[in-house]
Amino acid sequence: MRNWIVAAASVAILAGAVQAQRGGERLSRECRQQIIELCGQERGKLRECLQDKASALPENCSAEIRARVQARMGDGQTNAPAQGKQRLATLGGVELSYGDNPLQRLDFYKAKTDKIRAPLIVFVHGGGWKRGDKRNATGSEKITHYTGRGYHFASINYRLVPAASVEQQAADVAAALAHLSKNAAKWASTHRG
């Protein structure tokens, strides 16, 4: 499971880099060069290479990619928490705890349906295990898209490195899934989004 989650986070970094370039914002020459040195220039193999070797990118290049992604998403770091809580309320979500640690929290959004037993989509943020937040990459579009099509939607936080090991983070994700599985129907019936 650990390799799968690391690969998913790597794909998120790569997707951010590609989107930043498509949006007219190119990565710096140094960062592009570091990616080429790490993975070569063959575009067809770039995604797989970055999935395998994203952790080998220098921090300045990873930070540049993250900054481009955040800028594209419109989540400024200075007001992201306030925007997140406002978005939570606007979209009819509720923040819930699945553990004792302040980071063991999740946002739950009820499906826009009268059915209580709707499918549930769970979003786990990326961030190389050491950064990120449940509200950073979900975007209101994902939430409204899925809830509007009859799905409950949840986005979870988990403890971060170095305060927690990767195994503890995987356990947090499992605990959040168990908590959602046990309580989603109850929340959906009492929480009207």
Side-chain angles (χ1 to χ4, degrees):
M1 180 170 178
R2 178 180 175 186
N3 290 340
W4 178 84
I5 294 172
V6 170
S10 301
V11 169
I13 290 171
L14 172 62
V18 170
Q19 288 293 345
Q21 289 179 350
R22 287 183 184 158
E25 297 180 36
R26 294 189 65 166
L27 296 172
S28 70
R29 177 184 301 248
E30 294 81 18
C31 187
R32 290 192 317 266
Q33 186 61 38
Q34 290 165 342
I35 292 171
I36 290 169
E37 288 173 10
L38 183 65
C39 295
Q41 293 184 350
E42 190 176 335
R43 287 190 176 252
K45 294 186 179 182
L46 185 61
R47 178 181 296 246
E48 184 179 335
C49 174
L50 282 175
Q51 286 176 345
D52 293 337
K53 300 179 181 178
S55 62
L57 279 175
E59 179 57 32
N60 63 330
C61 186
S62 295
E64 187 177 334
I65 293 169
R66 284 190 308 277
R68 297 257 190 247
V69 171
Q70 284 184 334
R72 188 188 82 228
M73 290 173 40
D75 288 338
Q77 290 182 342
T78 55
N79 58 3
Q83 286 178 344
K85 287 190 185 269
Q86 181 181 11
R87 184 177 70 202
L88 180 72
T90 301
L91 297 175
V94 61
E95 185 177 49
L96 303 160
S97 175
Y98 67 87
D100 295 332
N101 188 287
L103 287 175
Q104 292 173 316
R105 301 193 59 80
L106 61 92
D107 291 347
F108 178 81
Y109 301 87
K110 183 193 175 300
K112 305 279 189 245
T113 179
D114 291 334
K115 297 178 185 176
I116 292 173
R117 296 192 59 87
L120 172 66
I121 294 177
V122 179
F123 180 83
V124 181
H125 72 79
W129 298 112
K130 58 186 172 182
R131 64 183 109 12
D133 184 81
K134 61 186 171 3
R135 296 180 185 149
N136 280 4
T138 52
S140 60
E141 293 81 17
K142 284 181 188 158
I143 297 164
T144 57
H145 173 81
Y146 289 118
T147 59
R149 283 166 178 71
Y151 294 91
H152 299 312
F153 186 88
S155 183
I156 67 170
N157 265 353
Y158 49 85
R159 293 172 290 169
L160 303 172
V161 167
S165 68
V166 174
E167 291 78 13
Q168 288 172 314
Q169 292 169 320
D172 282 0
V173 172
L177 291 172
H179 193 69
L180 282 163
S181 178
K182 180 180 176 183
N183 295 296
K186 174 180 70 175
W187 296 330
S189 66
T190 59
H191 170 66
R192 294 290 171 194

